[in-house]
Amino acid sequence: MFTFAKLLKFIPISIMNHYETVFILNPVLSDVQVKETVSKFEEFLTSRGAEMISKEDWGLKKWPMKSKTRKVGFTIYSNSK
C-alpha cells in the first residue's frame, strides 16, 4: 500500500510563489513617465529572477481608501512568480 509520502517520491514537485502587486502612481505624471516607471519596476523584478506573468494598466482611478496625500492615481496591477 502506498502512502502519500511514498507517492511524492515519484511525482516531481516544484513549489513557486506567485505575487500580485498593485501600485498607485502620482496622477500628475505623463503617460511616458508612467510607462518608464512600470518598465523600471519590471526590470527590477526580472533582474532578481522573477518572471512576469501579466500586467494590467487600470488607468487613472479614484480609491476609496484614505491616504495622507491623495485618493487618485494611475493604478498598475502585475502578476509575477
Side-chain angles (χ1 to χ4, degrees):
M1 182 171 164
F2 280 102
T3 63
F4 186 69
K6 288 181 183 178
L7 185 61
L8 287 179
K9 290 180 183 179
F10 301 109
I11 300 173
I13 295 177
S14 78
I15 298 173
M16 185 172 287
N17 294 328
H18 289 263
Y19 301 96
E20 291 182 333
T21 306
V22 175
F23 59 99
I24 303 168
L25 301 173
N26 194 333
V28 298
L29 295 175
S30 70
D31 289 338
V32 174
Q33 291 171 319
V34 170
K35 289 178 183 176
E36 286 176 0
T37 305
V38 171
S39 67
K40 285 180 185 178
F41 175 72
E42 289 177 348
E43 288 174 17
F44 174 79
L45 292 179
T46 54
S47 70
R48 285 157 177 78
E51 177 186 340
M52 298 302 294
I53 298 171
S54 66
K55 177 187 74 172
E56 296 176 17
D57 182 1
W58 291 351
L60 191 62
K61 189 170 184 168
K62 185 174 181 179
W63 288 90
M65 62 190 169
K66 293 189 178 191
S67 172
K68 291 181 181 178
T69 56
R70 62 186 55 88
K71 291 184 179 182
V72 177
F74 288 104
T75 308
I76 310 295
Y77 166 83
S78 70
N79 191 354
S80 61
K81 62 179 181 179

